[in-house]
Amino acid sequence: MPEKPSVLFVCVHNAGRSQMAAAWLTHLAGDRIEVRSAGSAPADRVNPAAVEAMREAGVDMSAEVPKVLTVEAVQASDVVITMGCGDTCPVFPGKRYLDWELEDPAGQGLAAVRPIRDEIRRRIEALVAEIDAEAARAQA
């Protein structure tokens, strides 16, 4: 692993799950991990219910905008986490791929988005612990 590991979150619209995951990782890991998110068919804006759910948890992602998935983003990332984008994500040898099955918050109200937000946080906390442990092993 390089000095600063990088993680890319990918979902179709880059408006809900991948944005929440990127915001959690940035919030919980600070600048120890480089964070990217993208979508295979980006929406016009980030899901307002996702923005509000994260704001409730003390994380501001109101300035985020959906970004298009590029081959370069995948190549530049150590870990690629997909969330329901299926075969649209390019696969490169030597990358670590994880697929997180999470309910899509698109079109859902705040009450439905909160448990998705909380599940994403649990997974991000485990991911940070894993990446930190790998970095510690690499330095040993």
Side-chain angles (χ1 to χ4, degrees), residues 42-90:
D44 295 332
R45 63 188 179 122
V46 175
N47 179 334
V51 171
E52 179 60 20
M54 292 299 286
R55 190 195 60 70
E56 283 182 351
V59 180
D60 180 11
M61 60 178 224
S62 60
E64 295 300 325
V65 292
K67 294 168 278 306
V68 70
L69 177 64
T70 64
V71 168
E72 293 77 21
V74 177
Q75 287 176 314
S77 302
D78 300 305
V79 181
V80 179
I81 298 175
T82 57
M83 303 172 176
C85 69
D87 297 334
T88 59
C89 299

Side-chain angles (χ1 to χ4, degrees), residues 115-128:
I116 301 168
R117 171 201 67 200
D118 296 342
E119 174 60 23
I120 291 172
R121 180 179 181 142
R122 278 191 290 279
R123 292 180 188 210
I124 293 296
E125 287 170 342
L127 179 69
V128 169

